[in-house]
Amino acid sequence: MRRFLSQSAPSRDKNYKGGIKDYAIKMGEIGKFSKQLKLVDYVAFASDLVSAGATIVEAKPEDRARTTVVETTKLGTGILTGAFTSVLIIGLATGGTGLVVIRVVAISAMVAGKATGDITGWIAGETYDAINDYQSK
């Protein structure tokens, strides 16, 4: 671990305050925070999956295909947004920014992911309706 820390770019930088000791502490804090985010991610994914399944099951038989398309699109977009957010947060975490900034990015990314999922679900529903109307003619 010491060899890794001594070879890491932020710890060798003259501008990094606190040196290797503070850098190791920050990396430990980031590790704890990432474990918490991982747990929240599993709970959020499970609740979204159950919610989408319940919505599909409760849909009227004539609307079930459209509901399946909309809910699947929303769930898929949420997964892709989560993957992008993970890369963004890891990039910020390893860049030496503070944990407060990372938490703000994580929370805003969750909100943005939900909004993105809802928007793409709406677009998928409208597209499904347009294709269905075109095929009906």
Side-chain angles (χ1 to χ4, degrees):
M1 178 80 171
R2 286 179 193 240
R3 192 175 87 200
F4 171 75
L5 289 176
S6 66
Q7 294 173 352
S8 180
S11 64
R12 289 185 294 161
D13 188 11
K14 295 176 186 174
N15 296 325
Y16 189 81
K17 296 176 174 72
I20 293 176
K21 192 175 203 177
D22 282 348
Y23 182 72
I25 292 170
K26 291 293 181 192
M27 286 297 117
E29 291 174 2
I30 290 171
K32 290 177 188 175
F33 182 64
S34 68
K35 287 180 185 175
Q36 294 170 354
L37 277 179
K38 192 174 185 180
L39 178 64
V40 169
D41 185 37
Y42 290 142
V43 171
F45 179 70
S47 67
D48 285 348
L49 192 62
V50 169
S51 173
T55 304
I56 292 169
V57 168
E58 292 174 355
K60 295 177 186 176
E62 60 271 4
D63 292 337
R64 191 159 290 153
R66 181 185 190 279
T67 305
T68 302
V69 169
V70 170
E71 293 300 321
T72 304
T73 303
K74 286 167 63 174
L75 196 59
T77 303
I79 291 170
L80 290 176
T81 305
F84 175 74
T85 303
S86 301
V87 170
L88 181 66
I89 291 173
I90 290 170
L92 285 175
T94 57
T97 59
L99 284 177
V100 174
V101 173
I102 293 171
R103 288 180 182 171
V104 168
V105 169
I107 291 169
S108 61
M110 285 187 272
V111 172
K114 175 68 174 154
T116 304
D118 290 343
I119 290 169
T120 56
W122 176 78
I123 291 170
E126 293 298 316
T127 305
Y128 180 85
D129 290 341
I131 292 171
N132 197 19
D133 289 342
Y134 180 75
Q135 288 178 344
S136 298
K137 292 180 183 180

